[in-house]
């Protein structure tokens, strides 16, 4: 009589575990996509507020004067510099300060 060979061992998850993992990945993808969309919408609203609405409220109805952009971008640079100096993280690519 011929000896029956054993079945090969499974190397991956079963169908139920795979389906669960697939649903979890889809849910995470939807949440991350909504967060990214919300971030981009926030950036858009800030830009419209700073470069369209604020100059109109200041009386410049045909666009902001050139100096306005220098002031806004200078303030953004100061805010960025303050964040770099005051926040505790050094960043992944930067050597530690000190």
């Amino acid at each position: 009589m011929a000896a029956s060979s054993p079945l090969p061992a499974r190397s991956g998850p079963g169908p139920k575990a795979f389906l669960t993992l697939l649903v979890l990945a889809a849910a995470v993808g939807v949440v991350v996509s909504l967060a990214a969309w919300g971030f981009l919408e926030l950036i858009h609203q800030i830009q419209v507020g700073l470069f369209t609405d604020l100059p109109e409220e200041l009386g410049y109805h045909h666009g902001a004067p050139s100096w306005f952009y220098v002031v806004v971008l200078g303030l953004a640079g100061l805010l960025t510099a303050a964040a770099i100096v005051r926040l505790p993280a050094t960043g992944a690519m930067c050597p530690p300060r000190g």
Side-chain angles (χ1 to χ4, degrees):
M1 216 180 208
S4 63
S5 61
L7 294 174
R10 277 182 153 173
S11 62
K16 188 173 182 178
F18 183 71
L19 184 61
T20 303
L21 185 62
L22 189 63
V23 169
L24 178 64
V28 168
V30 168
V31 170
V32 170
S33 296
L34 286 173
W37 172 78
F39 175 74
L40 290 175
E41 186 63 30
L42 174 68
I43 295 300
H44 173 72
Q45 293 300 325
I46 290 172
Q47 288 177 345
V48 168
L50 279 176
F51 296 112
T52 303
D53 296 341
L54 184 61
E56 285 181 4
E57 290 180 13
L58 293 175
Y60 300 103
H61 299 289
H62 299 291
S66 298
W67 60 265
F68 183 78
Y69 298 108
V70 174
V71 170
V72 170
L73 294 175
L75 290 174
L78 289 174
L79 181 64
T80 302
I84 290 171
V85 170
R86 303 254 183 230
L87 293 177
T90 59
M93 301 298 289
C94 299
R97 289 179 279 176

